[in-house]
Amino acid sequence: MRRVILAFVATVAGLVVLLSFKTASTRPTDRPVALSGSTPSEDPASPGPSPSTPSPSSATKAASGTRTVTGSSVRVSEGFRTFGFVQVRVTVQDGKILKVEAVNYPDGDPQSAEISQYSIPVLGQEVLSAQGTSIDVVSGATYTTQAYAQSVQAALDKAKS
Amino acid sequence: MGTVVSFDVSADDASESVVRAAINAAVEWLHHVDAVFSTYRPDSDISRLNSGGRTLAECSSLVGQVLDLCSDVARETRGYFSPAFAGRVDPTGLVKGWAVELASDLLVEAGVIDHCVNGGGDVRARGCPEPGRDWSVAITHPLQRDGFAAVVEVRDGAVATSGTTERGLHVLNPFTGRPATRLASVTVVGPQLARADAYATAALAMGDAARDWLAGLDGYEALAIAPDGTGWSTSGFTSVVALPT
């Protein structure tokens, strides 16, 4: 794929326009997922849904090929926030899903849980590469023409052109 | 203050000459906006408007459009975004995002769909950088140069960040006249770059009150970081990078 990178510099005194073409290489697209939890397994000894900690799943057998499986408690997070834990019970008959029920919801009223405070870690390039994250562009407080030269955006423009 | 606008264009669906022509048109547009709106140019419409040398009717019609947008945004931000500074008209807090948004529109009109325009840290992304992948927009960490606070994925949207790191405490609370210090940076993600840009600046000026205000915005999500390194985000703000919770 051909990509065109152009940096347009507007200063009070004058303008500089840089233009270059280059074929971009494919980069990793793997993404971490927001859900985490243990693999569901059948464990009749399990006491069942646990409200706030990941727990083994449980399964019960009912009449003629009907089976109920309760999944692990799964942490639901979005961004840096954890909403709570979700646990799902699935009823299967002859290999077909009859019913899916949520037996445990994220707790707290969504409005009050809207915002929570947390410490924002600093992600270095090495952290991002370790997670398979590629960066196309950088959003930040407006940089001046002078500051652009030292910015990560400038490095990206240079690397891609 | 000058800044840099970077264009990142995937030229799969357009020939090189089409892409070059589209980018030239977008660059020409940005120069025109600079000539009309720059407060650093004594001959710009905005400077002449402020010096009394020109009436609004004598200015480019773009000035009226931008001032109308400023009024809307001032209302939406409860007055925390203000197109007036020291008694002068100054729509700078919104013009860059607005101009970059329209530069992106010019590329689309020319058939250059997949692109990302970064105007000094304010990003408008469209389409995708490569098939099957969205644009990954890294958000600068305000407390560490070259470090990031989050990475958001955007297919068709805008990401704007307002902060005190690059140019110091330049955002004033319009109600107190004092510099905003409660937040080090605010990033707003949403459909329009002009609004995302102005909302981020307004939120910075609001400080702590920005939490509730941002949470109530329709279609826009935000991440805010305080000078002590703590932060918060609205419920729909999603970073693709898994972080400790």
Side-chain angles (χ1 to χ4, degrees):
Chain A
M1 175 185 298
R2 295 186 69 77
R3 299 178 87 188
V4 185
I5 314 301
L6 176 143
F8 155 79
V9 186
T11 64
V12 185
L15 305 157
V16 181
V17 175
L18 312 162
L19 180 63
S20 55
F21 282 75
K22 190 218 171 187
T23 304
S25 58
T26 310
R27 285 169 291 175
T29 56
D30 297 24
R31 296 284 180 234
V33 290
L35 295 177
S36 64
S38 56
T39 312
S41 60
E42 291 186 31
D43 179 9
S46 167
S50 161
S52 61
T53 53
S55 66
S57 57
S58 63
T60 53
K61 270 196 175 170
S64 64
T66 306
R67 207 153 56 105
T68 303
V69 180
T70 303
S72 308
S73 186
V74 171
R75 192 177 70 196
V76 179
S77 55
E78 190 171 69
F80 313 136
R81 301 179 50 249
T82 295
F83 287 108
F85 295 85
V86 168
Q87 201 162 20
V88 178
R89 183 159 58 218
V90 183
T91 307
V92 183
Q93 187 173 37
D94 300 329
K96 284 183 183 167
I97 293 174
L98 285 183
K99 194 165 60 171
V100 179
E101 304 157 277
V103 294
N104 181 29
Y105 298 94
D107 40 28
D109 132 40
Q111 209 56 42
S112 68
E114 187 86 3
I115 282 164
S116 57
Q117 188 116 6
Y118 40 79
S119 186
I120 306 276
V122 178
L123 304 168
Q125 299 277 17
E126 65 285 355
V127 176
L128 297 178
S129 351
Q131 297 198 30
T133 303
S134 59
I135 291 172
D136 295 301
V137 61
V138 178
S139 172
T142 303
Y143 38 75
T144 61
T145 310
Q146 291 76 15
Y148 166 80
Q150 270 81 51
S151 71
V152 175
Q153 183 62 50
L156 283 170
D157 289 347
K158 201 173 171 189
K160 288 188 284 186
S161 51
Chain B
M1 185 202 72
T3 189
V4 179
V5 180
S6 305
F7 292 80
D8 188 340
V9 177
S10 294
D12 262 3
D13 50 0
S15 73
E16 187 171 317
S17 61
V18 169
V19 170
R20 282 183 185 275
I23 289 180
N24 286 342
V27 169
E28 200 177 311
W29 156 254
L30 292 168
H31 285 307
H32 179 62
V33 170
D34 193 46
V36 171
F37 290 96
S38 177
T39 53
Y40 292 86
R41 292 166 174 252
D43 60 339
S44 74
D45 278 355
I46 289 296
S47 297
R48 289 276 168 82
L49 197 58
N50 278 316
S51 67
R54 204 168 283 175
T55 65
L56 185 57
E58 290 165 345
C59 290
S60 159
S61 62
L62 296 173
V63 175
Q65 280 180 40
V66 165
L67 293 182
D68 285 349
L69 182 59
C70 284
S71 309
D72 291 346
V73 170
R75 197 178 57 247
E76 290 157 18
T77 59
R78 303 172 183 170
Y80 278 92
F81 171 84
S82 171
F85 179 71
R88 296 161 69 88
V89 176
D90 187 356
T92 306
L94 179 149
V95 163
K96 180 156 57 71
W98 170 82
V100 167
E101 177 99 47
L102 288 171
S104 167
D105 287 349
L106 285 174
L107 296 184
V108 171
E109 282 165 26
V112 182
I113 309 301
D114 298 317
H115 66 260
C116 186
V117 187
N118 187 355
D122 292 339
V123 175
R124 181 67 166 98
R126 278 188 156 108
C128 55
E130 301 168 316
R133 191 169 77 80
D134 291 343
W135 294 99
S136 287
V137 185
I139 295 165
T140 305
H141 199 294
L143 307 182
Q144 191 171 320
R145 184 172 277 277
D146 296 355
F148 301 111
V151 179
V152 295
E153 285 190 336
V154 178
R155 179 166 292 264
D156 187 1
V159 184
T161 301
S162 192
T164 53
T165 40
E166 289 290 336
R167 289 180 291 145
L169 300 171
H170 69 291
V171 174
L172 304 180
N173 179 329
F175 299 106
T176 63
R178 303 235 292 271
T181 57
R182 296 291 292 171
L183 297 173
S185 80
V186 178
T187 296
V188 175
V189 183
Q192 289 178 17
L193 186 54
R195 280 195 159 75
D197 191 4
Y199 289 171
T201 306
L204 201 68
M206 277 183 209
D208 296 342
R211 282 182 156 210
D212 287 343
W213 177 72
L214 287 166
L217 283 179
D218 212 17
Y220 291 83
E221 302 296 341
L223 167 72
I225 303 168
D228 67 357
T230 61
W232 42 265
S233 61
T234 56
S235 63
F237 183 90
T238 306
S239 173
V240 295
V241 179
L243 296 168
T245 50

